Amino acid sequence: MKKLSNAEIAEHLKALPGWELGEDRIKRTFRFQDFVEAFGWMSSVALVAERMNHHPEWRNVWATVEVELSTHDAGGLTKLDMELAAKMDALSG
């Protein structure tokens, strides 16, 4: 998987409101009504991520899920990260 250029990353982020660029990753915090809704979303994302063979780094505390995406094998961001981010957004309603 090819690492994205800075210009490609900027272009992808235009379509991903709420996502922020970190050093070698993109980040977003998702907020839900309660723990059950947050965990249900995580379960749905887990199924998608497994099919993509691309797994997020995430942390859940009650109704909040903090997500970081990066392709470690590529040493930074790839199209796969952007695709998973878009799918997470779609599943968050």
Side-chain angles (χ1 to χ4, degrees):
M1 182 75 38
K2 179 182 152 268
K3 188 174 167 180
L4 296 173
S5 70
N6 289 339
E8 290 170 318
I9 292 167
E11 191 62 32
H12 280 285
L13 285 177
K14 289 179 185 177
L16 296 169
W19 288 89
E20 298 176 4
L21 181 60
E23 187 173 325
D24 64 346
R25 60 195 60 236
I26 54 173
K27 308 176 199 182
R28 180 168 178 196
T29 299
F30 291 88
R31 300 189 196 293
F32 299 93
Q33 299 253 330
D34 54 31
F35 176 75
V36 171
E37 187 176 301
F39 196 83
W41 176 81
M42 290 176 73
S43 295
S44 296
V45 170
L47 296 173
V48 170
E50 185 64 20
R51 281 193 303 271
M52 294 176 70
N53 193 30
H54 192 59
H55 306 94
E57 292 181 33
W58 53 12
R59 180 174 182 266
N60 168 240
V61 177
W62 191 62
T64 301
V65 182
E66 297 171 355
V67 177
E68 294 187 2
L69 298 176
S70 183
T71 304
H72 301 289
D73 292 348
L77 291 163
T78 66
K79 190 174 177 183
L80 203 53
D81 299 302
M82 303 306 176
E83 290 172 2
L84 183 53
K87 289 178 183 198
M88 290 177 153
D89 287 348
L91 288 168
S92 72

